[in-house]
Amino acid sequence: QMASGVVIHRRSSPRFRIPSIILSIRFSYSAKLNGISFSLKAVRSKLPGVNPILVIVVLLLTLGIVLSGYIWCCLMDVFSPSQLNEYEKTGFLIIRGLFSKDELNPLKGALLQNQSISEQQFTMKDVDGQSHSAIAWVSPSVSYLGMLPFLSRLVSRVEELLGEPCYHWLSKLSIKPEFSKARIEWHQDFPAWHDEGCENPKLVTCGIAIDDLTENNGIFNVIPGSHCSGNLPHEYRGDAQSRVSLDSLAELLTKHNVEPCRLRIGDAV
């Protein structure tokens, strides 16, 4: 989100492919190595006085600086300058592997087995009457679920984006049963938060995937740059979730594209 508004997002009805992504990275890496090799030959042929070993050393030192900066950002739970620029431009970020699968499995198991948790579920409907379940809480507790929002890897990153100390407003688990056609409507978070007492849209929402999110099970979609349009009018239909007015949404989509966020377990958006 930005001070001027909150990015538009939704979760669609069911309809990345990790092996292809891994292969793409490897092919890109090989191509870059070949590119370096070709450049060295070109430099040597055009400038006979250039020592290719020296060029390799300089390239390795540069790569080392870039990697050390990345590792430092990961260890210190902070964002790189390029990530901050992306956040300012698009209104959101994807953080791969913020949590491990082993860290989230106990949470998933508790949802399936702990009756006290399942008893707290409430229903949210889309405008077509399809529903999914959710659990929301405000106060921390000594349980794993209650302390999760207060971990430093979350708090430090949120405070960096906000530029000041933060406080916890609300946590929610959204649960979609298998083969459900329910969706979360296009919306901004701030209108609902404002109704509950949040005075201005200086807030950050962090969504963490407990299951893989793909087109097959209800992917998370955003409209990058929509935060620059400020707070948009929302409409209500009966007991359904609020959604961005259709006129506002249609106008937005003439300027911005929808971006699906394919998430693996532990990724955050």
Side-chain angles (χ1 to χ4, degrees):
Q1 62 82 43
M2 298 281 289
S4 58
V6 183
V7 70
I8 302 291
H9 55 285
R10 72 174 289 192
R11 188 172 172 191
S12 64
S13 301
R15 190 197 47 83
F16 28 142
R17 292 161 44 194
I18 294 303
S20 67
I21 289 177
I22 292 174
L23 287 174
S24 296
I25 293 173
R26 289 176 179 169
F27 290 152
S28 174
Y29 184 70
S30 300
K32 288 179 181 177
L33 288 181
N34 292 335
I36 291 172
S37 172
F38 295 148
S39 355
L40 289 177
K41 291 178 181 177
V43 168
R44 191 170 187 179
S45 62
K46 294 180 181 178
L47 300 172
V50 175
N51 187 337
I53 302 299
L54 179 61
V55 176
I56 292 175
V57 170
V58 171
L59 289 172
L60 290 176
L61 286 174
T62 303
L63 180 61
I65 293 172
V66 172
L67 288 177
S68 62
Y70 174 78
I71 293 171
W72 181 84
C73 288
C74 293
L75 293 177
M76 297 301 292
D77 290 339
V78 295
F79 294 112
S80 67
S82 62
Q83 287 177 308
L84 293 175
N85 289 335
E86 180 185 354
Y87 176 73
E88 294 290 335
K89 180 181 178 181
T90 64
F92 76 100
L93 286 170
I94 295 178
I95 307 172
R96 301 295 180 189
L98 183 64
F99 289 89
S100 69
K101 186 174 182 179
D102 289 340
E103 287 177 309
L104 295 179
N105 275 341
L107 177 58
K108 185 175 180 181
L111 288 173
L112 297 174
Q113 301 170 10
N114 192 322
Q115 185 176 355
S116 63
I117 293 178
S118 61
E119 289 175 350
Q120 300 177 48
Q121 295 184 24
F122 59 91
T123 299
M124 298 182 66
K125 294 182 179 180
D126 59 32
V127 296
D128 295 325
Q130 300 289 339
S131 63
H132 72 280
S133 299
I135 302 171
W137 67 98
V138 176
S139 301
S141 69
V142 294
S143 68
Y144 182 63
L145 185 62
M147 294 305 299
L148 195 67
F150 298 88
L151 295 178
S152 63
R153 74 185 80 173
L154 288 176
V155 176
S156 60
R157 286 179 166 92
V158 168
E159 291 187 340
E160 185 179 12
L161 294 177
L162 291 175
E164 59 184 272
C166 69
Y167 62 92
H168 175 250
W169 181 266
L170 175 76
S171 290
K172 183 175 73 174
L173 285 167
S174 295
I175 307 161
K176 289 184 69 174
E178 292 178 322
F179 308 112
S180 169
K181 295 182 179 180
R183 66 178 181 273
I184 297 176
E185 303 287 353
W186 283 113
H187 69 283
Q188 293 174 309
D189 286 339
F190 179 64
W193 290 30
H194 183 268
D195 291 344
E196 297 177 6
C198 189
E199 295 183 354
N200 61 71
K202 195 167 188 181
L203 56 92
V204 171
T205 299
C206 177
I208 302 165
I210 300 176
D211 283 310
D212 294 346
L213 297 185
T214 69
E215 290 86 350
N216 295 325
N217 68 347
I219 199 166
F220 188 87
N221 295 296
V222 297
I223 302 179
S226 57
H227 61 300
C228 296
S229 298
N231 297 317
L232 300 172
H234 284 57
E235 59 187 20
Y236 297 82
R237 294 182 58 183
D239 59 351
Q241 315 157 32
S242 66
R243 67 177 182 182
V244 174
S245 70
L246 297 183
D247 290 341
S248 298
L249 181 61
E251 183 178 353
L252 269 178
L253 293 177
T254 64
K255 306 173 185 177
H256 307 281
N257 296 320
V258 175
E259 182 172 327
C261 299
R262 299 176 182 88
L263 303 177
R264 299 282 289 174
I265 297 174
D267 291 346
V269 58

